[in-house]
Coordinates of all heavy atoms in Angstrom, one line a residue:
G435 N 100.6 -16.6 -49.8 CA 99.2 -16.5 -49.5 C 98.7 -17.7 -48.7 O 99.5 -18.7 -48.5
D436 N 97.5 -17.6 -48.3 CA 96.9 -18.7 -47.5 C 96.2 -19.7 -48.4 O 95.7 -19.3 -49.4 CB 95.9 -18.1 -46.5 CG 96.5 -17.2 -45.5 OD1 97.7 -17.4 -45.2 OD2 95.8 -16.3 -44.9
L437 N 96.2 -20.9 -48.0 CA 95.5 -22.0 -48.7 C 94.2 -22.1 -47.9 O 94.2 -22.4 -46.7 CB 96.2 -23.3 -48.7 CG 95.5 -24.5 -49.2 CD1 95.2 -24.3 -50.7 CD2 96.3 -25.7 -49.0
V438 N 93.0 -22.0 -48.6 CA 91.7 -22.1 -48.0 C 91.1 -23.4 -48.5 O 91.0 -23.5 -49.8 CB 90.8 -20.9 -48.2 CG1 89.5 -21.1 -47.6 CG2 91.5 -19.7 -47.7
I439 N 90.7 -24.3 -47.6 CA 90.0 -25.5 -48.1 C 88.5 -25.4 -47.5 O 88.3 -25.2 -46.4 CB 90.7 -26.8 -47.5 CG1 92.1 -26.8 -48.0 CG2 89.9 -28.0 -47.8 CD1 92.9 -27.9 -47.5
V440 N 87.6 -25.6 -48.4 CA 86.2 -25.6 -48.1 C 85.7 -27.0 -48.1 O 85.8 -27.8 -49.0 CB 85.4 -24.8 -49.1 CG1 83.9 -24.8 -48.7 CG2 85.9 -23.3 -49.1
I441 N 85.0 -27.4 -46.9 CA 84.4 -28.8 -46.8 C 82.9 -28.6 -46.8 O 82.4 -27.9 -45.9 CB 84.9 -29.5 -45.6 CG1 86.4 -29.7 -45.6 CG2 84.2 -30.8 -45.4 CD1 87.0 -30.3 -44.4
N442 N 82.2 -29.1 -47.7 CA 80.8 -29.1 -47.7 C 80.3 -30.4 -47.1 O 80.6 -31.5 -47.6 CB 80.2 -28.9 -49.1 CG 80.5 -27.6 -49.7 OD1 80.4 -26.6 -49.0 ND2 80.8 -27.5 -51.0
V443 N 79.5 -30.3 -46.0 CA 79.0 -31.5 -45.4 C 77.5 -31.4 -45.6 O 76.8 -30.5 -45.1 CB 79.3 -31.5 -43.9 CG1 78.7 -32.7 -43.2 CG2 80.8 -31.5 -43.7
E444 N 76.9 -32.4 -46.2 CA 75.5 -32.5 -46.4 C 75.1 -33.8 -45.7 O 75.9 -34.5 -45.1 CB 75.2 -32.6 -47.9 CG 75.6 -31.2 -48.6 CD 75.2 -31.2 -50.0 OE1 74.6 -32.2 -50.5 OE2 75.6 -30.2 -50.7
N445 N 73.8 -34.1 -45.8 CA 73.3 -35.3 -45.2 C 74.0 -36.5 -45.8 O 73.6 -37.0 -46.9 CB 71.8 -35.4 -45.3 CG 71.1 -34.3 -44.6 OD1 71.7 -33.6 -43.8 ND2 69.9 -34.1 -44.9
N446 N 75.1 -37.0 -45.2 CA 75.8 -38.1 -45.8 C 75.6 -39.4 -45.1 O 74.9 -39.4 -44.0 CB 77.3 -37.8 -46.0 CG 78.0 -37.6 -44.6 OD1 77.5 -38.1 -43.6 ND2 79.0 -36.8 -44.6
E447 N 76.2 -40.5 -45.6 CA 76.0 -41.8 -44.9 C 76.6 -41.9 -43.6 O 76.4 -42.8 -42.8 CB 76.4 -42.9 -45.9 CG 77.9 -42.9 -46.2 CD 78.4 -41.9 -47.3 OE1 77.6 -41.2 -47.9 OE2 79.6 -41.8 -47.5
D448 N 77.5 -41.0 -43.2 CA 78.2 -41.1 -42.0 C 77.4 -40.5 -40.8 O 77.8 -40.6 -39.7 CB 79.6 -40.3 -42.0 CG 80.6 -41.0 -42.9 OD1 80.4 -42.2 -43.1 OD2 81.4 -40.3 -43.4
G449 N 76.2 -39.9 -41.1 CA 75.4 -39.4 -40.0 C 75.6 -38.0 -39.7 O 74.9 -37.4 -38.8
F450 N 76.6 -37.3 -40.3 CA 76.8 -35.9 -40.0 C 75.9 -34.9 -40.7 O 75.6 -35.2 -41.9 CB 78.3 -35.5 -40.3 CG 79.3 -36.2 -39.4 CD1 80.0 -37.3 -39.8 CD2 79.6 -35.6 -38.2 CE1 80.9 -37.9 -38.9 CE2 80.6 -36.1 -37.4 CZ 81.2 -37.3 -37.7
K451 N 75.5 -33.9 -40.0 CA 74.8 -32.8 -40.6 C 75.5 -31.5 -40.2 O 76.1 -31.5 -39.1 CB 73.3 -32.8 -40.2 CG 72.5 -34.0 -40.6 CD 71.1 -33.9 -40.2 CE 70.4 -35.1 -40.6 NZ 69.0 -35.1 -40.0
R452 N 75.3 -30.5 -41.0 CA 76.0 -29.2 -40.7 C 75.0 -28.1 -40.6 O 74.1 -28.0 -41.4 CB 77.1 -28.9 -41.8 CG 77.8 -27.6 -41.6 CD 78.7 -27.3 -42.7 NE 79.3 -26.0 -42.5 CZ 80.2 -25.5 -43.3 NH1 80.5 -26.1 -44.4 NH2 80.7 -24.3 -43.0
N453 N 75.3 -27.2 -39.6 CA 74.5 -25.9 -39.5 C 75.6 -24.8 -39.2 O 76.0 -24.7 -38.1 CB 73.4 -26.0 -38.5 CG 72.6 -24.7 -38.4 OD1 72.7 -23.8 -39.3 ND2 71.8 -24.6 -37.4
G454 N 76.0 -24.1 -40.2 CA 77.1 -23.1 -40.0 C 78.3 -23.9 -39.7 O 78.7 -24.8 -40.4
L455 N 79.0 -23.6 -38.6 CA 80.2 -24.3 -38.1 C 79.9 -25.4 -37.2 O 80.8 -26.2 -36.8 CB 81.1 -23.3 -37.4 CG 81.7 -22.2 -38.3 CD1 82.6 -21.3 -37.5 CD2 82.5 -22.7 -39.5
D456 N 78.6 -25.6 -36.8 CA 78.3 -26.7 -35.9 C 78.0 -28.0 -36.7 O 77.4 -27.9 -37.8 CB 77.0 -26.3 -35.1 CG 77.2 -25.2 -34.1 OD1 78.4 -25.0 -33.7 OD2 76.2 -24.5 -33.8
L457 N 78.5 -29.1 -36.1 CA 78.2 -30.4 -36.7 C 77.3 -31.1 -35.8 O 77.4 -31.1 -34.5 CB 79.5 -31.2 -36.7 CG 80.5 -30.9 -37.8 CD1 81.7 -31.8 -37.7 CD2 79.9 -31.1 -39.2
F458 N 76.3 -31.8 -36.4 CA 75.3 -32.6 -35.7 C 75.5 -34.1 -36.1 O 75.8 -34.4 -37.3 CB 73.9 -32.2 -36.0 CG 73.6 -30.8 -35.6 CD1 73.9 -29.7 -36.4 CD2 73.0 -30.5 -34.4 CE1 73.6 -28.4 -36.0 CE2 72.7 -29.3 -34.0 CZ 73.0 -28.2 -34.8
Y459 N 75.4 -35.0 -35.1 CA 75.5 -36.4 -35.4 C 74.4 -37.1 -34.7 O 74.2 -36.9 -33.5 CB 76.9 -36.9 -34.9 CG 77.2 -38.3 -35.3 CD1 77.7 -38.6 -36.5 CD2 76.9 -39.3 -34.4 CE1 78.0 -39.9 -36.9 CE2 77.2 -40.6 -34.7 CZ 77.7 -40.9 -36.0 OH 78.0 -42.2 -36.3
E460 N 73.7 -38.0 -35.5 CA 72.6 -38.8 -34.9 C 73.0 -40.2 -34.9 O 73.6 -40.7 -35.9 CB 71.3 -38.6 -35.6 CG 70.7 -37.2 -35.5 CD 69.4 -37.0 -36.2 OE1 68.5 -37.8 -35.9 OE2 69.3 -36.1 -37.0
K461 N 72.7 -40.9 -33.9 CA 73.0 -42.4 -33.8 C 72.0 -43.1 -33.0 O 71.6 -42.6 -31.9 CB 74.4 -42.6 -33.2 CG 74.8 -44.0 -33.1 CD 76.3 -44.2 -32.6 CE 76.7 -45.6 -32.4 NZ 76.7 -46.4 -33.6
E462 N 71.5 -44.2 -33.5 CA 70.6 -45.0 -32.7 C 71.4 -45.8 -31.7 O 72.5 -46.3 -32.0 CB 69.9 -46.0 -33.7 CG 68.9 -45.3 -34.5 CD 68.0 -46.3 -35.3 OE1 67.9 -47.5 -34.9 OE2 67.4 -45.9 -36.3
I463 N 70.8 -45.9 -30.5 CA 71.5 -46.7 -29.4 C 70.5 -47.7 -28.9 O 69.2 -47.5 -29.1 CB 72.0 -45.8 -28.3 CG1 70.9 -45.0 -27.7 CG2 73.1 -44.9 -28.8 CD1 71.3 -44.2 -26.5
L464 N 70.9 -48.7 -28.2 CA 70.1 -49.7 -27.6 C 69.3 -49.1 -26.4 O 69.8 -48.1 -25.8 CB 70.9 -50.9 -27.1 CG 71.7 -51.6 -28.2 CD1 72.6 -52.7 -27.5 CD2 70.7 -52.3 -29.2
L465 N 68.1 -49.6 -26.1 CA 67.4 -49.1 -25.0 C 68.1 -49.3 -23.7 O 68.1 -48.4 -22.9 CB 66.0 -49.9 -24.9 CG 65.2 -49.6 -23.7 CD1 64.7 -48.1 -23.7 CD2 63.9 -50.5 -23.7
S466 N 68.9 -50.4 -23.6 CA 69.7 -50.6 -22.3 C 70.7 -49.5 -22.2 O 71.0 -49.1 -21.1 CB 70.3 -52.0 -22.3 OG 71.2 -52.1 -23.5
E467 N 71.3 -49.1 -23.3 CA 72.3 -48.0 -23.3 C 71.7 -46.7 -22.8 O 72.2 -45.9 -22.1 CB 73.0 -47.8 -24.6 CG 73.9 -49.0 -25.0 CD 74.4 -48.8 -26.4 OE1 73.6 -48.4 -27.3 OE2 75.6 -49.1 -26.6
A468 N 70.5 -46.4 -23.4 CA 69.8 -45.2 -23.0 C 69.4 -45.1 -21.6 O 69.4 -44.1 -21.0 CB 68.5 -45.0 -23.9
L469 N 69.0 -46.3 -21.0 CA 68.5 -46.3 -19.6 C 69.7 -46.3 -18.6 O 69.6 -45.7 -17.5 CB 67.6 -47.5 -19.4 CG 66.3 -47.5 -20.2 CD1 65.6 -48.8 -20.0 CD2 65.4 -46.3 -19.8
T470 N 70.7 -47.0 -18.9 CA 71.8 -47.2 -17.9 C 73.1 -46.4 -18.2 O 73.9 -46.3 -17.4 CB 72.2 -48.7 -17.8 OG1 72.7 -49.1 -19.1 CG2 71.0 -49.5 -17.4
G471 N 73.2 -45.8 -19.4 CA 74.3 -45.1 -19.8 C 75.3 -45.9 -20.6 O 75.3 -47.1 -20.6
S472 N 76.2 -45.2 -21.3 CA 77.2 -45.8 -22.1 C 78.2 -44.8 -22.6 O 78.1 -43.6 -22.2 CB 76.5 -46.5 -23.3 OG 77.5 -47.2 -24.1
S473 N 79.2 -45.2 -23.3 CA 80.2 -44.3 -24.0 C 80.2 -44.7 -25.4 O 80.2 -45.9 -25.8 CB 81.5 -44.5 -23.3 OG 82.5 -43.7 -24.0
I474 N 80.2 -43.7 -26.3 CA 80.1 -44.0 -27.7 C 81.3 -43.3 -28.4 O 81.7 -42.2 -28.1 CB 78.8 -43.5 -28.3 CG1 77.6 -44.3 -27.8 CG2 78.9 -43.5 -29.9 CD1 76.3 -43.8 -28.2
K475 N 82.0 -44.0 -29.3 CA 83.1 -43.5 -30.0 C 82.6 -43.1 -31.4 O 82.0 -43.9 -32.1 CB 84.2 -44.6 -30.2 CG 85.4 -44.2 -31.0 CD 86.4 -45.3 -31.1 CE 87.5 -45.1 -32.1 NZ 88.4 -46.2 -32.2
I476 N 82.8 -41.8 -31.8 CA 82.4 -41.3 -33.1 C 83.7 -40.9 -33.8 O 84.5 -40.2 -33.2 CB 81.5 -40.1 -32.9 CG1 80.2 -40.6 -32.2 CG2 81.1 -39.5 -34.3 CD1 79.3 -39.5 -31.7
I477 N 83.8 -41.2 -35.0 CA 85.0 -40.8 -35.8 C 84.6 -39.5 -36.5 O 83.7 -39.4 -37.3 CB 85.4 -41.8 -36.9 CG1 85.7 -43.2 -36.2 CG2 86.6 -41.3 -37.7 CD1 86.8 -43.1 -35.2
H478 N 85.3 -38.4 -36.1 CA 85.1 -37.1 -36.6 C 85.4 -37.0 -38.1 O 86.1 -37.9 -38.6 CB 86.0 -36.1 -35.8 CG 85.6 -34.7 -35.9 ND1 85.9 -33.9 -37.0 CD2 84.9 -33.9 -35.1 CE1 85.4 -32.7 -36.8 NE2 84.8 -32.6 -35.6
L479 N 85.0 -36.0 -38.8 CA 85.3 -35.8 -40.2 C 86.8 -35.8 -40.5 O 87.3 -36.2 -41.5 CB 84.7 -34.5 -40.7 CG 83.1 -34.5 -40.8 CD1 82.6 -33.2 -41.2 CD2 82.6 -35.6 -41.7
D480 N 87.6 -35.3 -39.5 CA 89.0 -35.3 -39.7 C 89.7 -36.6 -39.2 O 90.9 -36.6 -39.0 CB 89.7 -34.0 -39.0 CG 89.5 -34.0 -37.5 OD1 89.0 -35.0 -37.0 OD2 89.8 -33.0 -36.9
E481 N 88.9 -37.6 -39.0 CA 89.3 -38.9 -38.6 C 89.8 -39.1 -37.2 O 90.4 -40.1 -36.8 CB 90.3 -39.5 -39.6 CG 89.8 -39.6 -41.0 CD 90.7 -40.2 -42.0 OE1 91.8 -40.7 -41.6 OE2 90.4 -40.2 -43.2
R482 N 89.6 -38.0 -36.3 CA 89.9 -38.2 -34.9 C 88.7 -38.8 -34.2 O 87.6 -38.6 -34.5 CB 90.1 -36.8 -34.2 CG 91.3 -36.1 -34.6 CD 91.4 -34.7 -33.9 NE 90.3 -33.9 -34.3 CZ 89.4 -33.4 -33.4 NH1 89.4 -33.7 -32.2 NH2 88.4 -32.6 -33.9
P483 N 89.0 -39.7 -33.2 CA 87.9 -40.2 -32.4 C 87.4 -39.2 -31.4 O 88.2 -38.4 -30.8 CB 88.5 -41.4 -31.7 CG 89.9 -41.1 -31.6 CD 90.3 -40.2 -32.8
I484 N 86.1 -39.1 -31.2 CA 85.4 -38.3 -30.2 C 84.6 -39.3 -29.3 O 83.9 -40.1 -29.8 CB 84.5 -37.2 -30.7 CG1 85.4 -36.2 -31.5 CG2 83.7 -36.5 -29.6 CD1 84.5 -35.1 -32.2
Y485 N 84.8 -39.2 -28.0 CA 84.1 -40.1 -27.1 C 83.0 -39.3 -26.4 O 83.3 -38.3 -25.8 CB 85.1 -40.7 -26.1 CG 86.1 -41.6 -26.8 CD1 87.4 -41.1 -27.1 CD2 85.9 -42.9 -27.0 CE1 88.3 -41.8 -27.8 CE2 86.8 -43.7 -27.7 CZ 88.0 -43.2 -28.0 OH 89.0 -43.9 -28.7
I486 N 81.8 -39.8 -26.5 CA 80.6 -39.2 -25.8 C 80.2 -40.2 -24.8 O 79.8 -41.3 -25.0 CB 79.5 -38.9 -26.8 CG1 80.0 -38.2 -28.0 CG2 78.3 -38.3 -26.1 CD1 80.2 -36.7 -27.8
S487 N 80.2 -39.7 -23.5 CA 79.7 -40.5 -22.4 C 78.4 -39.9 -21.9 O 78.2 -38.7 -21.8 CB 80.7 -40.6 -21.3 OG 81.9 -41.2 -21.7
F488 N 77.5 -40.8 -21.5 CA 76.2 -40.3 -20.9 C 75.7 -41.3 -19.9 O 76.0 -42.5 -20.0 CB 75.2 -40.1 -22.0 CG 75.0 -41.2 -22.9 CD1 74.1 -42.2 -22.6 CD2 75.7 -41.4 -24.1 CE1 73.9 -43.3 -23.5 CE2 75.6 -42.4 -25.0 CZ 74.7 -43.4 -24.7
S489 N 75.0 -40.8 -18.9 CA 74.5 -41.7 -17.8 C 73.1 -42.1 -18.1 O 72.7 -43.2 -17.7 CB 74.6 -40.9 -16.5 OG 73.8 -39.7 -16.6
S490 N 72.4 -41.4 -18.9 CA 71.0 -41.8 -19.4 C 70.7 -40.8 -20.5 O 71.3 -39.7 -20.6 CB 70.0 -41.7 -18.2 OG 69.8 -40.4 -17.8
V491 N 69.7 -41.2 -21.2 CA 69.3 -40.3 -22.4 C 67.8 -40.1 -22.3 O 67.0 -41.0 -22.1 CB 69.6 -41.1 -23.7 CG1 69.1 -40.3 -24.9 CG2 71.1 -41.3 -23.8
I492 N 67.4 -38.9 -22.5 CA 66.0 -38.5 -22.7 C 65.7 -38.2 -24.1 O 66.6 -37.6 -24.8 CB 65.7 -37.2 -21.9 CG1 66.0 -37.5 -20.4 CG2 64.3 -36.7 -22.1 CD1 66.0 -36.2 -19.5
H493 N 64.6 -38.7 -24.7 CA 64.3 -38.6 -26.1 C 64.5 -37.2 -26.6 O 63.9 -36.3 -25.9 CB 62.9 -39.1 -26.4 CG 62.6 -39.0 -27.9 ND1 63.2 -39.8 -28.8 CD2 61.7 -38.2 -28.5 CE1 62.7 -39.5 -30.0 NE2 61.8 -38.6 -29.8
G494 N 65.2 -36.9 -27.6 CA 65.4 -35.6 -28.1 C 66.5 -34.8 -27.5 O 66.9 -33.7 -27.9
E495 N 67.1 -35.3 -26.4 CA 68.2 -34.6 -25.7 C 69.5 -34.6 -26.6 O 69.8 -35.6 -27.3 CB 68.5 -35.3 -24.4 CG 69.6 -34.7 -23.6 CD 69.9 -35.5 -22.3 OE1 69.6 -36.7 -22.3 OE2 70.5 -34.9 -21.4
Q496 N 70.3 -33.6 -26.5 CA 71.5 -33.5 -27.3 C 72.7 -33.3 -26.3 O 72.5 -32.6 -25.3 CB 71.5 -32.3 -28.3 CG 70.5 -32.4 -29.4 CD 70.6 -31.3 -30.4 OE1 71.1 -30.2 -30.0 NE2 70.2 -31.5 -31.6
K497 N 73.8 -33.9 -26.7 CA 75.0 -33.7 -25.9 C 75.9 -32.8 -26.7 O 76.0 -32.9 -27.9 CB 75.8 -35.0 -25.7 CG 75.0 -36.1 -25.0 CD 74.8 -35.7 -23.5 CE 74.0 -36.8 -22.8 NZ 73.7 -36.4 -21.4
L498 N 76.5 -31.8 -26.1 CA 77.3 -30.8 -26.7 C 78.8 -30.9 -26.4 O 79.1 -31.1 -25.2 CB 76.9 -29.4 -26.3 CG 77.7 -28.2 -26.7 CD1 77.5 -27.9 -28.2 CD2 77.4 -27.0 -25.9
V499 N 79.7 -30.9 -27.4 CA 81.1 -30.9 -27.2 C 81.6 -29.6 -27.8 O 81.6 -29.5 -29.0 CB 81.8 -32.1 -27.8 CG1 83.3 -32.1 -27.5 CG2 81.2 -33.4 -27.3
K500 N 81.9 -28.6 -26.9 CA 82.3 -27.3 -27.4 C 83.6 -27.4 -28.2 O 84.6 -28.1 -27.8 CB 82.5 -26.3 -26.3 CG 81.2 -25.9 -25.6 CD 81.5 -24.8 -24.6 CE 80.2 -24.1 -24.5 NZ 80.4 -22.6 -24.4
G501 N 83.7 -26.6 -29.3 CA 84.9 -26.5 -30.1 C 85.3 -27.6 -31.0 O 86.3 -27.6 -31.5
E502 N 84.4 -28.6 -31.1 CA 84.7 -29.8 -31.9 C 84.0 -29.8 -33.2 O 84.0 -30.8 -33.9 CB 84.4 -31.1 -31.1 CG 85.4 -31.4 -30.0 CD 86.8 -31.6 -30.5 OE1 87.0 -32.0 -31.6 OE2 87.7 -31.5 -29.6
G503 N 83.4 -28.7 -33.6 CA 82.7 -28.6 -34.9 C 83.8 -28.2 -36.0 O 84.9 -28.4 -35.9
L504 N 83.3 -27.5 -37.0 CA 84.2 -27.0 -38.1 C 84.8 -25.7 -37.6 O 84.3 -25.1 -36.7 CB 83.4 -26.9 -39.3 CG 82.7 -28.2 -39.9 CD1 81.9 -27.8 -41.1 CD2 83.8 -29.2 -40.2
S505 N 85.8 -25.3 -38.3 CA 86.5 -24.0 -37.9 C 86.6 -23.1 -39.1 O 86.6 -23.6 -40.3 CB 87.8 -24.3 -37.3 OG 88.7 -24.9 -38.2
S506 N 86.6 -21.8 -38.9 CA 86.7 -20.8 -39.9 C 87.5 -19.6 -39.3 O 87.0 -19.0 -38.4 CB 85.3 -20.4 -40.4 OG 85.5 -19.3 -41.3
E507 N 88.7 -19.4 -39.8 CA 89.5 -18.3 -39.3 C 89.7 -18.5 -37.8 O 90.3 -19.4 -37.3 CB 89.0 -17.0 -39.7 CG 89.0 -16.8 -41.2 CD 88.4 -15.5 -41.7 OE1 88.2 -14.6 -40.8 OE2 88.1 -15.3 -42.9
D508 N 89.1 -17.6 -37.0 CA 89.3 -17.6 -35.6 C 88.1 -18.2 -34.8 O 88.0 -18.1 -33.6 CB 89.6 -16.2 -35.0 CG 88.5 -15.2 -35.3 OD1 87.6 -15.5 -36.1 OD2 88.5 -14.2 -34.6
K509 N 87.1 -18.8 -35.5 CA 85.9 -19.3 -34.9 C 85.9 -20.8 -35.0 O 86.4 -21.4 -36.0 CB 84.7 -18.7 -35.6 CG 84.5 -17.2 -35.5 CD 83.3 -16.8 -36.2 CE 83.1 -15.3 -36.1 NZ 81.9 -14.8 -36.8
K510 N 85.3 -21.5 -34.0 CA 85.2 -22.9 -34.0 C 83.7 -23.2 -33.6 O 83.2 -22.6 -32.7 CB 86.1 -23.6 -32.9 CG 87.5 -23.7 -33.5 CD 88.2 -24.8 -32.8 CE 88.2 -26.0 -33.7 NZ 89.2 -27.0 -33.5
G511 N 83.2 -24.1 -34.4 CA 81.8 -24.6 -34.1 C 81.8 -25.7 -33.0 O 82.8 -26.1 -32.5
N512 N 80.6 -26.1 -32.7 CA 80.4 -27.1 -31.7 C 80.0 -28.5 -32.3 O 79.6 -28.5 -33.5 CB 79.4 -26.7 -30.7 CG 79.8 -25.5 -29.9 OD1 81.0 -25.4 -29.4 ND2 78.9 -24.5 -29.8
F513 N 80.1 -29.5 -31.6 CA 79.7 -30.9 -32.0 C 78.6 -31.3 -31.2 O 78.7 -31.3 -29.9 CB 80.9 -31.8 -31.9 CG 80.6 -33.2 -32.4 CD1 80.8 -33.5 -33.7 CD2 80.2 -34.2 -31.5 CE1 80.5 -34.8 -34.2 CE2 79.9 -35.5 -32.0 CZ 80.1 -35.8 -33.3
L514 N 77.4 -31.6 -31.8 CA 76.2 -32.0 -31.0 C 75.9 -33.4 -31.4 O 75.8 -33.8 -32.6 CB 75.1 -31.0 -31.3 CG 75.3 -29.6 -30.8 CD1 75.7 -28.7 -31.9 CD2 74.0 -29.2 -30.1
F515 N 75.6 -34.2 -30.4 CA 75.2 -35.6 -30.6 C 73.8 -35.9 -30.1 O 73.5 -35.4 -29.0 CB 76.2 -36.5 -29.8 CG 75.9 -37.9 -29.7 CD1 76.0 -38.8 -30.8 CD2 75.3 -38.4 -28.6 CE1 75.7 -40.1 -30.7 CE2 75.0 -39.7 -28.4 CZ 75.2 -40.6 -29.5
S516 N 73.0 -36.6 -30.9 CA 71.7 -36.9 -30.4 C 71.4 -38.3 -30.9 O 71.9 -38.8 -31.8 CB 70.6 -36.0 -30.8 OG 70.5 -35.9 -32.2

């Protein structure tokens, strides 16, 4: 038989939130990073690093990384950073 592991992600201290298979991550950045751009390293729940690069940030804007959320059978969620 198959082994099924369920991971419940709630508002935890790591900054991750979950909506279905999608993962959301919020992080405060410096004003200089928001205006001029930067690259941020985020450690995913499975301990892999994800690098998010941006040239500038508009308040409330989200960056999307397709397929880096949670997975279930043949579906993969997305990873959103704001």
Side-chain angles (χ1 to χ4, degrees):
D436 294 336
L437 173 64
V438 177
I439 298 174
V440 177
I441 299 174
N442 290 321
V443 179
E444 297 180 6
N445 298 345
N446 63 23
E447 65 278 356
D448 292 336
F450 288 98
K451 294 180 184 176
R452 177 183 177 184
N453 183 9
L455 295 177
D456 292 336
L457 282 178
F458 296 85
Y459 186 84
E460 292 183 56
K461 179 173 175 63
E462 288 187 22
I463 59 173
L464 299 173
L465 177 60
S466 60
E467 292 173 319
L469 296 174
T470 62
S472 186
S473 179
I474 295 176
K475 176 181 171 183
I476 300 168
I477 302 301
H478 197 281
L479 293 175
D480 62 6
E481 300 184 9
R482 288 180 300 118
I484 295 179
Y485 297 92
I486 308 285
S487 297
F488 51 89
S489 56
S490 64
V491 175
I492 299 171
H493 181 70
E495 179 182 23
Q496 293 183 336
K497 301 292 182 185
L498 172 74
V499 183
K500 287 188 158 220
E502 289 294 342
L504 300 176
S505 59
S506 172
E507 296 177 13
D508 62 341
K509 297 180 183 179
K510 279 204 103 160
N512 297 314
F513 184 85
L514 292 102
F515 169 79
S516 65

